[in-house]
Amino acid sequence: MERHSSVAETPVNSVMVQRRSGSKSFRQSYRSCVGAASHLGYTPGLTTRRLTTSRRAPRSRTVTESVNPEQLSLLVKKEWQLSYVTPLHHFRHTQLRSYSRQLLAFIVAEKQQGLAVALEGAESSLKVVFSVVEGMATTDDDADTVLIQIHSKSVFASQDDPRRLVWSGWLTCINGSPDYVRSLPKDFVCLPLLCSSGAQWLTSLVKSWLERAFDCCIGSLDINSVNLQWLAALWTNCHPESNIGQLKLMWTLPVDPPLEIAFTVHPQDAWELWSSMRGQLQEEEQENEGVGEGAGDKDSVDIDEVTRFIDGLKNHFYRHFRLDLSAGTLSQVSTALGTAKHSGRIKISSSSYMNATLMLLTECALLKMPV
Amino acid sequence: MSLLKPFSKLPGLNAANILLVENEEQLQQRLADALVEETAVTVNVRLAKTLPLPLKNEKSRPRIDLVVFIINLTSELSLQSAEASLKYLDPGYFLGKVCLLVTNARNASVPPARLDTVRKLAASLHCPLLCAEDQTPDGVTNAAERLLTILKVAAGLVPMTTALYLSNLTRCTVPSDIDQQGFD
């Protein structure tokens, strides 16, 4: 890694090193220096090479079969704030109890320092539970999902009263890039996506404890407009199997005062547009290649199809309202399967297609992480 | 088609003409104010939203030495409008008299694919790609200084240097896959 950083910081020196001897003509060697400097100056190259251009279409996954429905109900129908987490050092799935004790002690210690507290009662009113959600991992490389819950109860309640869930969060890795996961040293566990919901002060305490205990970095994860378009397309693709209710897209236009446009599409119309775009692309492929290979591609979704789908919606809007939505940014996508916001909030409303969504978010987290 | 031609008029004495094309029309005004502060050369700045330029100004317009396309990466429309305007330039401009200026490249909400598209566009046109920071006056001044360097060469005011020669040094390159594998 040092070699990379030195190359990025001192490109001028590397030009000197690369310069060839005087055996070649001046112009040739100069051109090779210029070429070498210009490509050594950019690390790590184009990001589009690392982005997937095609994904597998989501299926009504067997998530409901393999995961405990009680735990699943904790994950769906709640709005989560996303963060990326760098690989955790010395994280053991067997030591969860001691982690719960450590986290509780940390929170208690921080509270006694005089931070503003929103909870009533003494410190013993908090209880931290770490648990493993089994069955969510798709490949052998994925680590099991870890769920963290913080309960509280008031001082005056008896032992039998139910505890209120104050904060919950889960660390997960669904189908993370196998090259990356396998390249990590043995002590590291890769759980790049952290979803948290609850009081802000508890979130920051949990994050700082995780950073201290496992030597990782946690930062906020935004979902940029390309990924929101992917989600819109993948959810629309599920329409024939389970009704998506409606496809709602929200755009923000940079005018003064800022204009927010909510564009709601009837699901059947969205499905017709989507399938006609896919059919069109497959026909074009067949024309170009002359071989009927397009028929077998029903499983995978390409970035071209997604771009065309969104362009189709934008053109329709332009024809009616004379407003070009390309001037703004896509800020929210919601269907009956879930809601995703640009600020990094996600709500999964139905457990059937959860895997595809989480796969996409895991990939976002892995890309956003400082490598 | 009304193409903008680079060599159809005579140049002025110790003068350089630059055309700033921007769809949002925000940065070009501030950049123009910073560019005209140059004292050694008479800099004429012309502003446009898109190409082609209106025909009625054709006679009075001086010879344009450098065309700069300002692209705001947070808006997809900006990139599309710049790509559409590129078609109205005579091919003679692509020998060092075109420059792409990009703003908000470090913004986290910009999808990385957009900057890659602009880089590929700049590499295919053999023109330099400058990244500018437009929120502070310092950023605008720095961008203006860099544009002035290229403008002086494009207007022929720097001895022993032509626009084509400079573009060979400053052009944007995109590393190919073969080079990338050898990197590791």
Side-chain angles (χ1 to χ4, degrees):
Chain A
M1 287 302 123
E2 264 179 37
R3 183 177 153 254
H4 280 238
S5 59
S6 67
V7 165
E9 279 164 20
T10 59
V12 178
N13 284 341
S14 56
V15 172
M16 303 294 187
V17 167
Q18 288 284 334
R19 195 178 177 101
R20 309 233 182 110
S21 63
S23 56
K24 299 215 175 166
S25 72
F26 171 75
R27 201 170 277 173
Q28 259 191 335
S29 61
Y30 192 72
R31 202 180 300 139
S32 70
C33 287
V34 167
S38 45
H39 93 247
L40 280 174
Y42 301 134
T43 47
L46 294 182
T47 30
T48 42
R49 235 193 306 283
R50 293 194 280 157
L51 300 174
T52 41
T53 46
S54 90
R55 289 168 204 280
R56 266 198 309 150
R59 305 234 186 75
S60 171
R61 254 284 301 189
T62 52
V63 158
T64 41
E65 296 162 25
S66 55
V67 184
N68 186 358
E70 273 178 28
Q71 287 184 319
L72 204 57
S73 64
L74 290 169
L75 301 181
V76 298
K77 295 209 198 328
K78 206 187 251 203
E79 194 172 65
W80 303 101
Q81 177 72 40
L82 296 174
S83 328
Y84 66 83
V85 181
T86 55
L88 304 164
H89 182 67
H90 270 312
F91 182 86
R92 305 257 177 277
H93 283 90
T94 49
Q95 301 236 353
L96 296 179
R97 283 216 173 170
S98 88
Y99 294 152
S100 335
R101 280 196 298 263
Q102 288 174 26
L103 181 53
L104 181 59
F106 183 77
I107 295 178
V108 164
E110 288 291 323
K111 273 171 66 174
Q112 281 176 344
Q113 273 185 23
L115 288 172
V117 190
L119 289 177
E120 66 277 19
E123 299 83 45
S124 61
S125 63
L126 279 183
K127 179 177 160 205
V128 177
V129 177
F130 272 64
S131 50
V132 173
V133 179
E134 308 217 347
M136 291 207 36
T138 47
T139 66
D140 291 332
D141 292 323
D142 291 341
D144 279 329
T145 307
V146 176
L147 176 64
I148 308 173
Q149 290 169 292
I150 302 186
H151 302 270
S152 87
K153 77 175 176 166
S154 64
V155 182
F156 304 107
S158 62
Q159 280 285 359
D160 299 331
D161 273 357
R163 290 179 163 252
R164 217 169 23 108
L165 184 64
V166 174
W167 188 89
S168 65
W170 43 299
L171 288 156
T172 181
C173 174
I174 307 285
N175 201 19
S177 151
D179 296 330
Y180 181 71
V181 176
R182 276 180 221 153
S183 70
L184 292 173
K186 277 193 200 147
D187 288 335
F188 284 90
V189 173
C190 181
L191 286 166
L193 190 64
L194 166 68
C195 310
S196 53
S197 124
Q200 179 56 37
W201 65 277
L202 272 173
T203 311
S204 51
L205 278 182
V206 174
K207 281 186 192 176
S208 53
W209 178 78
L210 281 170
E211 283 181 346
R212 279 186 219 195
F214 304 113
D215 193 20
C216 57
C217 289
I218 303 187
S220 68
L221 181 67
D222 296 331
I223 311 180
N224 64 19
S225 59
V226 173
N227 291 316
L228 286 174
Q229 290 176 14
W230 269 114
L231 282 174
L234 291 175
W235 282 335
T236 312
N237 201 31
C238 307
H239 179 66
E241 286 151 19
S242 76
N243 189 6
I244 60 173
Q246 58 175 9
L247 173 66
K248 183 168 154 193
L249 303 163
M250 279 198 13
W251 303 80
T252 325
L253 289 176
V255 289
D256 190 19
L259 189 63
E260 283 216 5
I261 298 181
F263 185 16
T264 311
V265 184
H266 190 268
Q268 192 54 38
D269 296 336
W271 167 248
E272 281 173 14
L273 180 65
W274 172 246
S275 48
S276 71
M277 287 299 173
R278 293 198 80 185
Q280 223 175 45
L281 257 179
Q282 278 167 13
E283 273 172 21
E284 281 176 15
E285 272 176 32
Q286 284 178 3
E287 275 173 23
N288 289 343
E289 297 173 22
V291 184
E293 278 186 23
D297 277 348
K298 295 235 174 84
D299 250 7
S300 70
V301 178
D302 268 343
I303 182 80
D304 287 335
E305 293 167 0
V306 174
T307 332
R308 283 197 191 198
F309 177 59
I310 300 290
D311 282 344
L313 291 173
K314 282 195 238 180
N315 283 339
H316 175 84
F317 194 83
Y318 184 72
R319 244 177 259 133
H320 285 264
F321 297 102
R322 291 280 154 198
L323 265 183
D324 196 345
L325 289 171
S326 311
T329 43
L330 181 55
S331 60
Q332 184 177 329
V333 172
S334 55
T335 63
L337 295 175
T339 308
K341 293 188 196 161
H342 175 76
S343 57
R345 294 188 165 271
I346 180 114
K347 177 172 161 187
I348 302 176
S349 316
S350 144
S351 58
S352 29
Y353 294 94
M354 225 166 111
N355 247 40
T357 318
L358 288 176
M359 227 187 290
L360 198 148
L361 293 173
T362 308
E363 200 188 290
C364 287
L366 279 173
L367 280 176
K368 184 94 193 278
M369 242 166 31
V371 177
Chain B
M1 214 159 53
S2 53
L3 294 179
L4 192 61
K5 294 193 187 338
F7 300 115
S8 54
K9 299 185 189 182
L10 292 174
L13 194 59
N14 204 30
N17 304 307
I18 184 171
L19 174 66
L20 301 176
V21 180
E22 184 187 6
N23 187 272
E24 288 81 33
E25 297 179 318
Q26 284 171 352
L27 178 58
Q28 51 183 205
Q29 187 58 49
R30 290 179 285 157
L31 210 48
D33 293 333
L35 280 167
V36 296
E37 294 189 7
E38 168 70 21
T39 49
V41 175
T42 312
V43 178
N44 300 318
V45 184
R46 298 182 82 88
L47 308 177
K49 186 168 171 174
T50 55
L51 294 178
L53 298 176
L55 277 176
K56 58 182 181 180
N57 290 340
E58 188 71 42
K59 299 268 170 64
S60 59
R61 192 182 305 136
R63 182 177 99 152
I64 303 284
D65 297 312
L66 183 66
V67 180
V68 181
F69 289 93
I70 301 178
I71 300 176
N72 184 351
L73 282 181
T74 50
S75 137
E76 209 179 311
L77 185 59
S78 191
L79 178 57
Q80 286 171 357
S81 135
E83 281 176 351
S85 302
L86 277 168
K87 301 188 185 98
Y88 292 96
L89 281 183
D90 186 81
Y93 267 106
F94 294 104
L95 300 173
K97 291 178 179 275
V98 170
C99 178
L100 291 184
L101 184 75
V102 150
T103 61
N104 287 324
R106 288 186 293 190
N107 196 328
S109 62
V110 166
R114 211 173 278 167
L115 181 58
D116 288 337
T117 317
V118 177
R119 276 175 63 181
K120 280 190 195 147
L121 181 67
S124 68
L125 297 173
H126 292 270
C127 71
L129 176 66
L130 301 180
C131 295
E133 195 257 296
D134 61 336
Q135 306 291 333
T136 62
D138 271 344
V140 173
T141 322
N142 286 338
E145 275 174 31
R146 293 157 82 191
L147 283 179
L148 272 171
T149 318
I150 306 182
L151 174 63
K152 285 186 201 168
V153 172
L157 300 169
V158 178
M160 307 296 280
T161 313
T162 61
L164 185 55
Y165 184 61
L166 186 68
S167 76
N168 197 25
L169 300 179
T170 56
R171 68 192 177 95
C172 181
T173 53
V174 163
S176 65
D177 278 323
I178 306 169
D179 290 332
Q180 196 62 21
Q181 276 170 17
F183 196 21
D184 292 321

